[in-house]
Amino acid sequence: MALLSDLVNLNLSDTTEKIIAEYIWIGGSGMDLRSKARTLPGRVDDPAKLPKWNYDGSSTGQAPGEDSEVILYPQAIFKDPFRRGNNILVMCDAYTPGGEPIPTNKRFEASKIFSNPTVIAEEPWYGIEQEYTLLQKEVNWPIGWPVGGFPGPQGPYYCGIGADKAFGRDIVDSHYKACLYAGINISGINGEVMPGQWEFQVGPVVGIGAGDQLWVARYILERITEIAGVVVSFDPKPIQGDWNGAGAHTNYSTKSMRADGGYQVIKKAIEKMGLRHKEHIAAYGEGNERRLTGKHETADINTFCWGVANRGASIRVGRDTEKEGKGYFEDRRPASNMDPYVVTSMIAQTTILWNP
Amino acid sequence: MALLSDLINLNLSETTQKIIAEYIWIGGSGMDLRSKARTLSGPVSDPAKLPKWNYDGSSTGQAPGEDSEVILYPQAIFKDPFRRGNNILVMCDAYTPAGEPIPTNKRAAAAKIFSHPDVVAEEPWYGIEQEYTLLQKDVNWPIGWPVGGYPGPQGPYYCGIGADKAFGRDIVDSHYKACVYAGINISGINGEVMPGQWEFQVGPVTGIGAGDQLWVARYILERITEIAGVVVSFDPKPIQGDWNGAGAHTNYSTKSMRNDGGYEVIKKAIEKLGLRHKEHIAAYGEGNERRLTGRHETADINTFCWGVANRGASIRVGRDTEKEGKGYFEDRRPASNMDPYVVTSMIADTTILWKP
């Protein structure tokens, strides 16, 4: 019998010009990714040349049943690591038939901020450190953990190796290569402090692209865990007790911060962030209060403080930046389940456009 | 569904110039290996051209939380047998932001010894015989052994074959090829006297490279056991009773020893080692007193003696060396959990630089 893998791995370029485009969007919860595929007559490299599409919003909590069409606008194209060949992944955002962004569409507002001439001039760069936890299917307990029990305490797992310290590396490593293949600017990976928890970083990416790339990286990750039979969780504090939470630290710089004298610009920016601490925290992910306790390398959720090389601060500035007098800073507050469109645009807005 | 292995084995050279570099370092215990990966813009073959990096020393017992950055200096590059393509493994050592080696960094002091002109002139060669034991996950009992019991006594297992005598050969053989692929000078392997115990040899390597290569060989081994779902132990006496321990016999020669008349140089060197027996033993690995009992092909830990073809001696000289009047000798004292930077540099220090 032919193997399923022979069919899944068919190289269609041998027989046809047609390609498959997987359209991806964010569903009604703001964290559930959805996708479906369509055939196109030939290769496409420019999102503007892709047809708009639509989906059943009443099945994703985004439209009423009697008026359920939600329109998908293609925004970014990536190579499809699962289908390979000339097949593509397409990151989309969602609109009413009237052309209005639906309420859960956070990209639209972000895009407005990133189109502001003042913001464009500052070329905001983002590097996002996405942490996540891998769970055993059906029991939803972290992989490598004994069901009904706990592994030895944290210590050996951060960047650890070995069958008793690193759980799920095949998922992490295939995700790394798949993202590079797709054209996502994935800059690194590491095993995290809690066993079964990992991190990948996307960046530096300018403006709205950071959100697009992080969402597609999350999509690729969940498609890979689907293959592996494992569940991925973006919950910011998956296990209560002496176990680290999961964040999405967001590294940020503007043209002024990267130029000579940038350190002063950074300090002013951090001041402004401090004045809007409550507003940012409200937008930095659900359940973050379970994670930002002041322990486990976090700052308390009600406190705003910053420091050089201080992992217990809300915002951390690296030693290199301090030494060279220019660089970037790391906002350590966002939770792993944050929406990167919201977080990246809010940081740009507060530091570039907002005045106290 | 696409297979995980299709993704893990993606050959990125077809789609991008980018490569993945896995930075490896030694953690706070002196034996725990850690690593994380980053993307580089193109292939690199010279460690001096690799960027320094940093890690969270507070998660490895190497820095406090409020000042946690530890800096990684790349020292040696090897081909990555797991990611293949142009991807690399990078052996690093660790420094404070101010440029001082952190206390657990044993490579820095070794590098100083190996840069001494007298040592450089003697071209010290090392061949290290790394023994190790494979353990079943979760029970931490040697593989192939019945849980709660023991196999038949030692005898049939040394270099043995067959399902009842050799346990874990797939790990050993993939490690052998992986190391050769990586560029490590692995010179051989054999099954050891205790069932579930194996040995590989790295060498001859000159100077500081011996330590670099042995550490990376250990890293590759633990990554392979991680894949195999087995735990690797470098404990020098994993099972009490009539079962062999695990050592890291270190074979050594200098230019003078390898030349005509070298045998006299060897005898003088062994004398000097005898005068510093206590100092060497203190640096030859934790728990060695459980192994160096005078039985099981070891010399008692408090005794220093040497002999030709004598496996019960602290230092053994091969019959070939005696016959040809030149060659090398084997220090049989180091335990399997020794730090090769410490042992190799100490042997060079005592035999070349130190005067009684």
Side-chain angles (χ1 to χ4, degrees), chain B residues 60-353:
Chain B
T60 59
Q62 293 169 307
E66 62 280 4
D67 187 12
S68 60
E69 267 181 38
V70 177
I71 317 300
L72 289 169
Y73 288 29
Q75 298 292 0
I77 290 178
F78 300 90
K79 285 162 66 65
D80 184 337
F82 305 101
R83 297 196 177 100
R84 299 181 292 282
N86 288 320
N87 304 305
I88 55 176
L89 303 177
V90 184
M91 189 62 205
C92 305
D93 61 345
Y95 295 78
T96 64
E100 294 301 310
I102 64 172
T104 52
N105 177 347
K106 306 302 178 194
R107 190 188 193 280
K112 280 228 237 359
I113 288 170
F114 284 119
S115 320
H116 190 295
D118 293 353
V119 175
V120 174
E122 280 290 0
E123 273 181 57
W125 287 6
Y126 299 89
I128 303 174
E129 304 169 39
Q130 175 74 67
E131 293 180 331
Y132 60 92
T133 313
L134 297 174
L135 307 175
Q136 304 172 43
K137 208 164 77 111
D138 301 329
V139 293
N140 279 2
W141 197 236
I143 62 170
W145 294 39
V147 175
Y150 295 80
Q154 294 183 153
Y157 311 110
Y158 170 73
C159 301
I161 61 172
D164 51 346
K165 284 164 283 200
F167 311 125
R169 189 187 300 275
D170 51 351
I171 289 169
V172 184
D173 271 354
S174 38
H175 178 251
Y176 200 165
K177 281 196 175 180
C179 284
V180 174
Y181 176 93
I184 288 172
N185 195 3
I186 182 167
S187 36
I189 56 149
N190 61 271
E192 270 300 330
V193 176
M194 184 178 107
Q197 204 170 75
W198 296 85
E199 169 181 314
F200 66 89
Q201 307 99 30
V202 172
V205 186
T206 307
I208 195 76
D212 292 335
Q213 291 197 26
L214 192 73
W215 273 115
V216 178
R218 287 174 172 179
Y219 175 84
I220 292 173
L221 178 60
E222 192 158 20
R223 284 285 307 271
I224 287 175
T225 55
E226 182 187 313
I227 294 170
V230 152
V231 170
V232 61
S233 168
F234 292 103
D235 188 273
K237 191 74 172 183
I239 309 292
Q240 292 300 313
D242 198 4
W243 304 99
N244 274 31
H249 304 160
T250 302
N251 299 276
Y252 173 70
S253 68
T254 60
K255 201 167 182 178
S256 310
M257 296 175 192
R258 298 189 289 271
N259 287 336
D260 291 333
Y263 197 55
E264 298 309 312
V265 183
I266 288 173
K267 287 202 281 192
K268 282 208 181 65
I270 295 178
E271 258 180 58
K272 291 215 258 175
L273 284 171
L275 293 170
R276 294 194 86 207
H277 177 68
K278 276 198 165 58
E279 288 86 341
H280 277 246
I281 283 290
Y284 274 13
E286 292 298 313
N288 215 1
E289 66 284 352
R290 290 181 282 119
R291 165 181 163 260
L292 294 181
T293 58
R295 295 168 58 222
H296 299 113
E297 301 169 278
T298 69
D300 179 80
I301 196 169
N302 297 310
T303 307
F304 181 86
C305 62
W306 72 276
V308 175
N310 182 356
R311 278 184 161 76
S314 321
I315 292 189
R316 164 172 157 269
V317 174
R319 291 215 174 280
D320 281 354
T321 296
E322 183 191 38
K323 196 160 55 162
E324 289 164 33
K326 59 186 175 182
Y328 67 96
F329 64 79
E330 175 193 22
D331 188 347
R332 295 175 62 80
R333 298 170 294 171
S336 42
N337 59 355
M338 61 80 152
D339 185 325
Y341 294 132
V342 171
V343 170
T344 56
S345 60
M346 199 172 192
I347 292 175
D349 191 21
T350 296
T351 58
I352 301 172
L353 300 176

Side-chain angles (χ1 to χ4, degrees), chain A residues 238-259:
Chain A
I239 310 291
Q240 291 302 312
D242 198 4
W243 304 99
N244 273 30
H249 304 160
T250 302
N251 298 278
Y252 173 70
S253 68
T254 60
K255 201 166 180 177
S256 310
M257 296 176 193
R258 296 187 292 270

Side-chain angles (χ1 to χ4, degrees), chain A residues 4-5 8-9 79 81-82 84 155-166 169-171 173-174 176-178 180-181 184-190 193 201 224 226-228 297 308-312 316 318-319 323, chain B residues 1-4 6-12 15-16 18 20-22 25 33-39 53-60 65-69 82-84 87 97 137 218-219 222-223 225-226 229-231:
Chain A
L4 218 56
S5 51
V8 168
N9 291 333
K79 284 162 68 66
F82 306 101
R84 299 182 290 280
Y157 312 109
Y158 170 74
C159 300
I161 61 171
D164 51 346
K165 285 163 284 197
R169 189 189 300 272
D170 52 351
I171 290 168
D173 271 356
S174 38
Y176 199 165
K177 280 196 175 181
L180 280 173
Y181 176 93
I184 288 171
N185 195 2
I186 181 168
S187 38
I189 56 148
N190 61 270
V193 177
Q201 308 99 31
I224 286 175
E226 181 187 314
I227 295 170
E297 301 169 280
V308 176
N310 183 356
R311 281 183 158 79
R316 164 174 159 267
R319 289 213 174 280
K323 197 161 55 162
Chain B
M1 277 196 298
L3 293 174
L4 221 55
D6 292 331
L7 298 170
I8 269 210
N9 292 331
L10 272 173
N11 182 0
L12 295 171
T15 45
T16 178
K18 292 181 178 180
I20 302 172
E22 187 87 30
W25 72 96
L33 281 159
R34 310 271 180 158
S35 75
K36 56 175 180 159
R38 68 187 296 183
T39 309
W53 205 8
N54 63 75
Y55 67 93
D56 174 11
S58 68
S59 289
T60 59
E66 62 280 4
D67 187 12
S68 60
E69 267 181 38
F82 305 101
R83 297 196 177 100
R84 299 181 292 282
N87 304 305
K137 208 164 77 111
R218 287 174 172 179
Y219 175 84
E222 192 158 20
R223 284 285 307 271
T225 55
E226 182 187 313
V230 152
V231 170

